[in-house]
Amino acid sequence: MAKRIQFSQHGGPDVLKWVDFDAVDPAEHEVQVENRAIGINYIDTYVRSGLYPVTSFPSGLGTEAAGVVKKTGAAVTRFKPGDRVVYCQAALGAYSEIHNVAEERLALLPDSVSFEQGAALFLKGLTVQYLLRQTYKVRADETFLFHAAAGGVGLIACQWAKALGAHLIGTVGSAEKAHIAKQAGAWATINYREENIAERVSELTQGEKVAVVYDSVGKDTWEPSLDCLRRHGLLVSFGNASGPVTDVDLGILNKKGSLFVTRPSLFGYITNRDELDLASRELFSLVASGAIKANVPEQQKFSLRDAVRAHQLLESRGTQGSSLLLP
């Protein structure tokens, strides 16, 4: 018997329940992982709320964790019991003491990376990898805008941009978050509660604006993001923290400079073992060099049974960096 978080209907954080469950043996191509640290991601709130509905109830939650291999399925060849591993994009159920994960979703966790760092970094780090290295290849000395720069993904983006020698302008909601983003490597910050985002981007770039904006906020920043782009610029809309962008008049892209918009996700960029290995190697090389480190404030480390409180804090926009559940 093991413990996990599950939910039997979509709704607010209070639908999450701490329950007993029977951990079954891994299937032929699965690996059973004893989780040591579990990543909390904003997408988890979308699944719980029903924005991304599940197919059946009761359902587990979470797709990312780091831990130790406990058992392997009969056809598994890359992993063995005792291996330190990290995973994301797994079948729902990572908010658990034990989770069976498809072998193709697992990566070996280097000894130099702790379980907490692995769980805090993997999904967010792979997200930044595809955003900055694949969706649009950010170059040295290039200036770009990244919303929510003091969030979990944002702080990794700040560090990655600094490693690339690029100039990240980050939006933040407070002076404290501005300080945190700058410490992580942001070139400049904009407090969206006090400043006009598009006007400040224009000032910071001497009127040039930017070629790319990375936007995980969604509805609230849709038009401000477009207004920050130079002609033929690209808006990378990769999240919906303020709600999804809907009822879009495509003509606005023409009016604002023949702009481009894409709505990517990690699932579209890491679809097989080779793509996972390539992206994770690039991420872990930067972690090993010290260029990237996850910021996990002590107050954002929660016991697994406290997932309700963790989701409440996350949705209040009161978090900085990454949050974890610890079994």
Side-chain angles (χ1 to χ4, degrees):
M1 192 71 73
K3 291 282 194 179
R4 77 167 187 167
I5 295 293
Q6 69 179 35
F7 61 111
S8 297
Q9 64 185 60
H10 291 298
D14 58 341
V15 302
L16 301 178
K17 306 299 179 186
W18 169 246
V19 301
D20 293 313
F21 81 108
D22 290 319
V24 300
D25 285 338
E28 188 179 21
H29 293 280
E30 288 183 335
V31 174
Q32 187 171 89
V33 180
E34 184 178 276
N35 290 333
R36 300 293 177 83
I38 300 158
I40 303 174
N41 295 286
Y42 214 93
I43 194 173
D44 301 342
T45 70
Y46 300 161
V47 174
R48 187 212 70 225
S49 71
L51 181 63
Y52 296 169
V54 299
T55 55
S56 63
F57 292 113
S59 174
L61 189 62
T63 63
E64 174 185 40
V68 176
V69 174
K70 191 173 182 183
K71 299 178 184 177
T72 59
V76 171
T77 58
R78 299 173 67 94
F79 303 96
K80 64 184 185 303
D83 281 348
R84 302 173 79 251
V85 292
V86 62
Y87 62 87
C88 67
Q89 294 184 292
L92 289 176
Y95 285 20
S96 178
E97 293 174 340
I98 300 288
H99 192 34
N100 292 343
V101 182
E103 180 183 18
E104 64 182 13
R105 301 298 185 191
L106 279 173
L108 286 170
L109 185 66
D111 290 339
S112 58
V113 183
S114 71
F115 292 118
E116 290 190 7
Q117 283 287 302
L121 274 170
F122 201 47
L123 180 64
K124 298 175 184 69
L126 293 179
T127 297
V128 175
Q129 194 277 338
Y130 90 73
L131 290 172
L132 270 59
R133 309 298 290 146
Q134 298 188 68
T135 305
Y136 179 96
K137 292 188 178 181
V138 173
R139 303 181 302 276
D141 295 323
E142 185 166 22
T143 302
F144 64 97
L145 181 66
F146 203 102
H147 286 293
V153 172
L155 287 176
I156 296 171
C158 289
Q159 296 173 77
W160 208 308
K162 183 178 180 181
L164 291 171
H167 300 152
L168 181 148
I169 302 172
T171 65
V172 294
S174 69
E176 181 185 10
K177 288 190 174 185
H179 176 69
I180 291 167
K182 282 193 171 181
Q183 278 191 318
W187 175 69
T189 58
I190 299 170
N191 186 334
Y192 64 83
R193 298 184 193 277
E194 299 175 355
E195 300 174 284
N196 180 290
I197 295 171
E199 287 178 6
R200 279 296 290 146
V201 166
S202 186
E203 290 171 8
L204 288 164
T205 60
Q206 288 76 54
E208 292 289 314
K209 300 187 179 182
V210 294
V212 63
V213 173
Y214 295 100
D215 189 344
S216 62
V217 178
K219 178 166 61 85
D220 289 353
T221 49
W222 164 250
E223 286 216 38
S225 291
L226 296 178
D227 289 336
C228 292
L229 289 167
R230 65 176 67 132
R231 188 166 60 100
H232 302 169
L234 172 65
L235 171 56
V236 182
S237 176
F238 69 100
N240 311 297
S242 68
V245 177
T246 57
D247 300 322
V248 172
D249 173 12
L250 288 178
I252 197 172
L253 303 179
N254 174 38
K255 293 173 188 173
K256 293 182 181 292
S258 295
L259 303 177
F260 293 85
V261 176
T262 184
R263 180 60 175 89
S265 73
L266 183 60
F267 302 97
Y269 279 87
I270 295 183
T271 63
N272 57 49
R273 164 59 59 183
D274 288 343
E275 290 171 350
L276 176 61
D277 286 347
L278 185 67
S280 60
R281 277 198 302 269
E282 186 173 9
L283 170 63
F284 285 137
S285 69
L286 287 169
V287 175
S289 74
I292 289 179
K293 180 180 180 181
N295 172 35
V296 189
E298 284 300 317
Q299 66 270 23
Q300 289 172 214
K301 296 178 183 179
F302 299 89
S303 168
L304 178 57
R305 68 170 67 233
D306 291 330
V308 170
R309 194 157 56 89
H311 273 229
Q312 288 170 339
L313 184 64
L314 186 65
E315 290 184 306
S316 75
R317 306 284 283 273
T319 60
Q320 297 167 1
S322 300
S323 301
L324 293 175
L325 295 171
L326 302 176

